[in-house]
Amino acid sequence: KPLLQKMERDPADHQARFDLAQAQFAAGQKAQAIDNLLAIIGADRGWKDEAARLELLRCFEALGFSDPLAVEGRKKLSRILFS
């Protein structure tokens, strides 16, 4: 909850959003975690040597290649990277 409040106070705080995404994924809030990582990538692709993109790929791997969340997340990632 404190992570969510911190991110809501400053949506541009990528570290708070990243930490929140990790906590969300661990707590089973996988879609929210993926959306938060995508938001970081969309705002600042190279943040911390692409930490958000690398974490997102770890999430996809944990979900499994054919998991609907991973499939949709990869589509969203492609739109961000190639638009």
Side-chain angles (χ1 to χ4, degrees):
K1 187 110 181 175
L3 286 173
L4 180 60
Q5 292 169 342
K6 186 175 180 184
M7 192 209 61
E8 286 173 343
R9 277 194 304 275
D10 183 6
D13 183 344
H14 298 323
Q15 187 63 57
R17 189 179 291 271
F18 184 83
D19 295 342
L20 176 63
Q22 288 183 314
Q24 286 172 322
F25 197 85
Q29 298 171 320
K30 294 173 178 22
Q32 296 93 324
I34 289 169
D35 286 344
N36 276 313
L37 292 169
L38 287 166
I40 296 169
I41 296 165
D44 184 355
R45 191 176 304 176
W47 177 77
K48 282 202 172 183
D49 295 323
E50 298 190 12
R53 187 183 64 81
L54 296 173
E55 185 66 20
L56 187 60
L57 295 178
R58 283 192 283 275
C59 292
F60 292 161
E61 188 175 329
L63 288 168
F65 188 75
S66 61
D67 184 283
L69 280 177
V71 171
E72 186 60 31
R74 284 193 304 273
K75 286 180 190 173
K76 290 177 181 178
L77 178 61
S78 291
R79 284 196 293 271
I80 291 169
L81 295 179
F82 302 111
S83 64

